[in-house]
Amino acid sequence: MQQNNGLDKSQIISFAVLCLVLFGFMFYFQNKQQKEEQVKAGQTKTEQVKNAVKPTQATNINPNVTPNAIKVSNLSNKELNLEFSSLGGQISKVELLKYKAYDRKTDKADLSLNLITKNNSNYGFQFKDKTGKTINTKDLVFSPSVSGNTVTMTANYNEAVIQFIYTLKDEYTVDFKVRSQGLAKVTSDTKADFIWDYRVRNLEKGRAQEQSHSEFSYAFNNYKDYDYDGRTTMEEPDETLNWVGVKQQFFSSVIEAKNGFTKSTGNQEAFEEGEYLKKLDYAGQVQMTGNELNQDFNWYFLPLDLKLLKTYDKNFDDILPLGWSFIGWMNRGFFMPMYNLIASWGITAGWVIFLMTIIVKLILSPIMYKQHKLSAMMKVIRPEIDEANAKFKDADPMKKQQATMEIYRKAGVNQMAGCLPALVQIPIFYALFRFFPNFIDLRGQGFWFAKDLTAYDDLIKLPMKVPFLGDHLSIFAIACTIVILIYTVMTSGNMQQPQQEGMPNMKVLMYIFPITFLFFLNTSASGLSWYYFVSNAINILIIFVIKYIILDEKKIHAQIQANKEKPKSEGKFQKRMREMMEKAQDQQKAVEQKKKK
């Protein structure tokens, strides 16, 4: 490897690692959005798709049913307001009473929050009668009966009786029992298909963000394992699912089967615009005992509040996409408790994030100190590195590298130490990327010109949609980009232009890199932009303190000179690198000798 004149090796490694990861994040989410757009573009604009965006009214679902024949029953508690339709015996409306939905007309969260309404959810059990005709309970007309907190729906089909019994329990749970009598005379099937078609309603401000968080979620292996699918076809032919749900950004509709769903499949389709974000169609099988359909289920209509989800002990807390493994642990065990603790002091959400940023910076300050000390040490020994580069300019690149490493070794500089700050900040960045748009306590919390810290701020409207930016400019995203640029200028001031042909101009790359943050943050949660604005502003302050108050270049120079006088023992990494270089050098000499012969 050739040494880039005037460029610290540690800075190259740190920058490369951070760039690869952050660009990877940006590419992943932008590519995800592009794939969804390609799928939408490839879909034919048939009447069926148009009807999917604007669901048909109940009178068109079954032409034999008149509007007067459809009856609606109601149940409610402090959390839910439910309606049940006699057509199909289904839950036809679910309103969460403690939450509101975003209204684009008023730019406020002032609408009733309905997970289910206007036929966006349609479910039923499907089987065949003995003549081979397909029967679906969605097409049957049930007779409702209300008693206390229970609605019983009863339908008759060829002398068979099918009952759906709904009981509204505490909070967000609806007990759902299916009972049949005489069905064995009608069908020979031993299994029934559970068909659930669901259209996700747009409830939040950030459509693209909410759409990307809308997906299938399900548990299996006796609630021990969890999986999800947000883009592809769902295929689980071999697993018995304990429950299956449609997750949105902050809410989820879930159905649990006491005996499980088998042969599960699902399809997804994104909508470019309109009231709905996605169409998710699910099909799974449930057992019929003695050709009778007698199964127990539970419906859950949940806000994705971690504390609430854990109380069910059914792996619901995994629905909340806080990240896997260590990332998820950071959010659950560190960021959420820290936010809740600070918020309990009565501080508004924006200032809670401000204090969180300061706490994180204090924790990372020893690492930052080492980073800036290393940078100062590299600045002091740069003349020696430049001298070595000039001395071995026309020599074997391997000799130049060996000379450079020897300077590092004598000065007591560990080049790999520059990677540590970047490596530490990678999981923090990703954890916060998951935290801000998924933490329900931040939903609807405004700060300055951001009306909701889980969505973008759009005070600056654009006259048209700009690729990757949208139809607005986020002030928080702009402010964050400017601060990152200032920080980059301050930290890259010692970089020299590359003197060898073909070497990239790292200064230019480092200045371009912050600009990409504007495209990334412009449609992201404003809480994330605010956090990184504060974080980088603190970085700038820390640089001033460390550079002009704590670190003394004269003392560092004296320390390096003292290090040179001390006998140095090779570390394992340095020894391995030296041996590899010597081996490569010997091989090169052997090749040259063979050429001469």
Side-chain angles (χ1 to χ4, degrees):
M1 178 179 176
Q2 294 184 355
Q3 173 70 25
N4 181 19
N5 290 351
L7 189 61
D8 297 343
K9 190 173 181 180
S10 61
Q11 290 175 317
I12 295 177
I13 296 171
S14 301
F15 175 75
V17 171
L18 192 57
C19 264
L20 285 173
V21 174
L22 294 182
F23 273 118
F25 289 149
M26 295 173 64
F27 176 81
Y28 170 77
F29 288 101
Q30 289 178 358
N31 190 42
K32 179 176 180 179
Q33 185 178 5
Q34 288 172 359
K35 284 183 178 179
E36 290 179 346
E37 289 174 353
Q38 289 170 2
V39 171
K40 298 169 199 168
Q43 293 166 348
T44 57
K45 304 296 184 180
T46 62
E47 285 299 317
Q48 183 178 1
V49 173
K50 291 179 181 177
N51 290 336
V53 179
K54 297 180 180 179
T56 56
Q57 297 301 312
T59 53
N60 295 326
I61 295 173
N62 189 333
N64 298 321
V65 180
T66 61
N68 293 333
I70 301 174
K71 297 180 181 179
V72 175
S73 304
N74 299 85
L75 291 177
S76 62
N77 59 16
K78 293 180 180 179
E79 287 76 25
L80 297 176
N81 181 30
L82 307 177
E83 288 185 1
F84 302 84
S85 172
S86 62
L87 179 59
Q90 306 176 59
I91 299 175
S92 56
K93 180 179 178 180
V94 175
E95 179 185 359
L96 275 69
L97 299 174
K98 294 185 176 180
Y99 298 90
K100 292 293 183 180
Y102 175 73
D103 186 355
R104 291 189 175 278
K105 295 179 181 179
T106 62
D107 196 26
K108 295 179 181 179
D110 54 10
L111 294 176
S112 297
L113 197 151
N114 295 313
L115 291 182
I116 296 176
T117 188
K118 296 190 293 186
N119 300 318
N120 70 306
S121 175
N122 208 330
Y123 62 89
F125 298 90
Q126 183 173 284
F127 52 88
K128 291 183 179 180
D129 65 14
K130 291 182 178 180
T131 66
K133 181 182 178 181
T134 299
I135 308 301
N136 196 319
T137 60
K138 291 192 290 185
D139 300 324
L140 301 179
V141 177
F142 289 72
S143 298
S145 173
V146 181
S147 177
N149 63 336
T150 299
V151 172
T152 301
M153 294 284 186
T154 305
N156 295 286
Y157 179 80
N158 288 354
E159 299 182 358
V161 177
I162 301 173
Q163 282 191 329
F164 291 171
I165 305 167
Y166 298 95
T167 302
L168 179 57
K169 295 185 174 181
D170 293 336
E171 293 188 318
Y172 302 98
T173 305
V174 181
D175 181 82
F176 175 36
K177 289 181 171 59
V178 180
R179 298 290 182 263
S180 73
Q181 187 175 357
L183 203 58
K185 297 177 182 179
V186 177
T187 181
S188 299
D189 284 353
T190 58
K191 291 183 179 178
D193 295 321
F194 175 72
I195 310 295
W196 184 22
D197 302 328
Y198 193 99
R199 291 165 181 81
V200 178
R201 304 187 71 243
N202 189 186
L203 304 174
E204 312 299 333
K205 182 175 183 177
R207 180 184 179 89
Q209 183 172 252
E210 186 182 9
Q211 189 178 64
S212 69
H213 282 87
S214 298
E215 59 197 13
F216 281 118
S217 57
Y218 50 95
F220 53 96
N221 191 19
N222 196 25
Y223 303 93
K224 294 177 183 176
D225 295 320
Y226 169 83
D227 208 347
Y228 67 96
D229 200 303
R231 290 185 294 166
T232 62
T233 301
M234 173 188 171
E235 298 286 347
E236 291 292 349
D238 302 322
E239 299 290 350
T240 298
L241 305 190
N242 303 114
W243 54 259
V244 61
V246 175
K247 173 199 168 295
Q248 298 175 226
Q249 186 173 356
F250 292 107
F251 305 94
S252 187
S253 301
V254 177
I255 184 168
E256 174 192 23
K258 296 297 178 67
N259 293 318
F261 297 108
T262 58
K263 306 294 182 182
S264 295
T265 60
N267 295 294
Q268 304 180 52
E269 174 187 325
F271 296 139
E272 188 172 353
E273 58 185 12
E275 185 180 357
Y276 300 97
L277 303 173
K278 266 187 178 182
K279 175 186 176 186
L280 295 97
D281 298 333
Y282 170 79
Q285 292 184 348
V286 294
Q287 192 71 35
M288 295 177 69
T289 305
N291 308 118
E292 296 290 344
L293 185 54
N294 295 310
Q295 293 290 339
D296 293 345
F297 304 87
N298 275 322
W299 279 104
Y300 302 92
F301 303 102
L302 301 163
L304 297 182
D305 180 277
L306 184 62
K307 187 177 179 181
L308 170 71
L309 297 176
K310 284 184 175 181
T311 62
Y312 291 93
D313 196 25
K314 295 181 184 293
N315 216 5
F316 287 159
D317 53 308
D318 275 337
I319 300 176
L320 198 57
L322 296 175
W324 295 99
S325 188
F326 179 68
I327 303 298
W329 177 87
M330 285 182 65
N331 278 322
R332 289 177 171 86
F334 181 68
F335 285 114
M336 281 188 172
M338 179 167 57
Y339 179 93
N340 290 330
L341 175 62
I342 299 173
S344 68
W345 302 341
I347 302 173
T348 58
W351 294 114
V352 172
I353 295 172
F354 179 84
L355 293 176
M356 285 175 63
T357 313
I358 292 176
I359 292 171
V360 172
K361 283 299 174 186
L362 288 174
I363 294 172
L364 296 178
S365 57
I367 297 174
M368 289 196 66
Y369 172 76
K370 289 182 179 180
Q371 180 188 20
H372 289 291
K373 183 177 180 181
L374 175 65
S375 178
M377 293 176 74
M378 296 294 285
K379 182 180 178 182
V380 170
I381 64 173
R382 182 165 299 284
E384 296 181 50
I385 294 175
D386 292 341
E387 186 180 342
N389 287 333
K391 181 178 180 181
F392 294 98
K393 182 178 181 180
D394 300 321
D396 182 0
M398 195 69 69
K399 290 183 178 179
K400 184 190 294 186
Q401 185 69 16
Q402 286 176 327
T404 303
M405 290 187 65
E406 184 64 18
I407 294 171
Y408 287 142
R409 189 182 70 82
K410 287 183 178 180
V413 174
N414 181 6
Q415 310 103 290
M416 298 303 294
C419 296
L420 185 59
L423 292 174
V424 169
Q425 292 181 62
I426 288 169
I428 293 176
F429 176 88
Y430 189 64
L432 292 170
F433 178 79
R434 287 289 189 176
F435 173 80
F436 284 106
N438 293 295
F439 187 40
I440 198 169
D441 287 13
L442 281 173
R443 183 180 184 269
Q445 297 292 322
F447 183 65
W448 289 346
F449 31 78
K451 295 183 178 179
D452 187 342
L453 287 168
T454 64
Y456 55 83
D457 66 273
D458 56 353
L459 193 64
I460 303 175
K461 305 285 187 180
L462 298 178
M464 64 184 71
K465 282 192 175 182
V466 179
F468 303 109
L469 277 179
D471 58 359
H472 68 278
L473 283 175
S474 165
I475 296 179
F476 273 129
I478 294 172
C480 184
T481 302
I482 293 172
V483 172
I484 293 175
L485 269 172
I486 295 171
Y487 176 74
T488 302
V489 170
M490 294 180 67
T491 55
S492 62
N494 295 328
M495 284 190 178
Q496 299 179 5
Q497 297 294 331
Q499 298 176 9
Q500 298 176 2
E501 286 188 30
M503 291 297 291
N505 191 328
M506 296 299 292
K507 273 192 175 182
V508 174
L509 289 177
M510 290 191 74
Y511 293 152
I512 293 175
F513 176 65
I515 303 299
T516 62
F517 260 79
L518 177 61
F519 296 90
F520 175 72
L521 293 173
N522 196 56
T523 55
S524 299
S526 53
L528 182 67
S529 302
W530 168 238
Y531 177 93
Y532 276 102
F533 169 80
V534 176
S535 177
N536 284 281
I538 293 173
N539 282 343
I540 293 171
L541 180 62
I542 289 174
I543 288 175
F544 276 111
V545 172
I546 291 176
K547 187 174 182 180
Y548 297 106
I549 299 177
I550 299 176
L551 292 180
D552 186 336
E553 286 190 9
K554 292 182 179 179
K555 290 183 179 180
I556 291 175
H557 186 270
Q559 179 186 341
I560 290 175
Q561 298 306 317
N563 288 340
K564 289 180 180 180
E565 301 298 326
K566 296 178 182 178
K568 293 291 179 184
S569 59
E570 276 187 318
K572 291 182 180 180
F573 174 78
Q574 290 174 321
K575 182 179 179 181
R576 194 178 298 114
M577 288 294 294
R578 179 180 57 77
E579 290 174 349
M580 287 172 62
M581 287 182 181
E582 290 175 353
K583 186 177 181 180
Q585 201 168 12
D586 292 340
Q587 290 175 347
Q588 189 175 355
K589 287 180 180 178
V591 171
E592 291 175 355
Q593 288 177 357
K594 285 182 180 180
K595 287 181 179 179
K596 289 179 180 179
K597 291 180 179 179

